[in-house]
Amino acid sequence: MNIDQFKPLTVYTIYIASTPEKVWEALTSAEFSRMYFFGNAVEVEPRLGGAFRVRTPDGALHISGEVFAYDPPRKLSVTFNVNWPELIEKLGPTLVTYEIEPAGDAVRLTMSEGHDRPLSDDILSGGRQGWPAILSSLKSVLETGKPLVVKMGPPQRMLDALKAMGIKTP
């Protein structure tokens, strides 16, 4: 896969009172990610071409992908493919990149979600709703030790757009 063709359609930047090493650990550790990713465990095989997985609290595979950049504690880039039937076939893969930079006594974390084709705002609404909650919870855990409690499901407009494309959702 040629990741040069991916264009960021969603970008978030946050500042966290932490160190690059702790932010890296939070992004790549199953134990740590369960705290801020609403019980989901991130598993990263620590090498280029390694496996990337996110498992639900019951251990089921929810997201799978491959590591395209692995530069601790500065940059992690992975394909981020939600395991819904027909989703990847019709919408293509997603590339998620985290860039971690020192910013005084804090860390600047920039997360981008890129795609190899244009997608509608309705389709992108799922990530645009979910990423702020995930990143805010990550910030909260790193700064206070406590995650945010945010209850949400996929936006109806995204589900309707997927249905219109003939994509079945759980």
Side-chain angles (χ1 to χ4, degrees):
M1 176 172 24
N2 178 6
I3 63 170
D4 294 335
Q5 65 192 2
F6 283 74
K7 303 294 179 225
L9 297 178
T10 304
V11 179
Y12 295 102
T13 300
I14 60 171
Y15 290 84
I16 305 170
S18 188
T19 65
E21 292 77 15
K22 287 181 182 175
V23 172
W24 181 266
E25 179 186 2
L27 294 171
T28 60
S29 159
E31 281 185 46
F32 206 113
S33 62
R34 281 187 193 97
M35 290 188 279
Y36 70 83
F37 204 157
F38 313 111
N40 294 305
V42 172
E43 301 170 356
V44 180
E45 191 175 0
R47 63 177 180 83
L48 293 180
F52 174 82
R53 294 180 195 90
V54 177
R55 296 191 183 277
T56 60
D58 66 0
L61 185 62
H62 175 48
I63 295 166
S64 61
E66 180 181 344
V67 176
F68 279 88
Y70 190 86
D71 183 15
R74 292 178 284 281
K75 184 175 182 178
L76 176 66
S77 188
V78 299
T79 49
F80 197 92
N81 303 310
V82 177
N83 293 324
W84 287 356
E86 304 173 337
L87 193 67
I88 297 168
E89 178 184 323
K90 293 194 178 183
L91 300 181
T94 299
L95 184 69
V96 172
T97 300
Y98 299 100
E99 295 180 87
I100 303 164
E101 302 170 86
D105 290 337
V107 170
R108 177 184 166 152
L109 174 63
T110 301
M111 189 279 333
S112 63
E113 177 186 306
H115 300 273
D116 66 352
R117 62 198 72 184
L119 297 174
S120 72
D121 283 341
D122 289 339
I123 296 295
L124 294 171
S125 69
R128 289 177 176 168
Q129 174 180 296
W131 282 117
I134 293 164
L135 295 172
S136 294
S137 190
L138 172 118
K139 176 179 172 65
S140 182
V141 167
L142 285 168
E143 292 181 347
T144 71
K146 297 178 183 179
L148 297 177
V149 179
V150 180
K151 300 285 183 187
M152 72 175 75
Q156 191 59 50
R157 68 188 266 207
M158 181 190 81
L159 295 174
D160 292 344
L162 292 171
K163 184 178 178 182
M165 295 175 72
I167 299 173
K168 296 177 185 162
T169 59

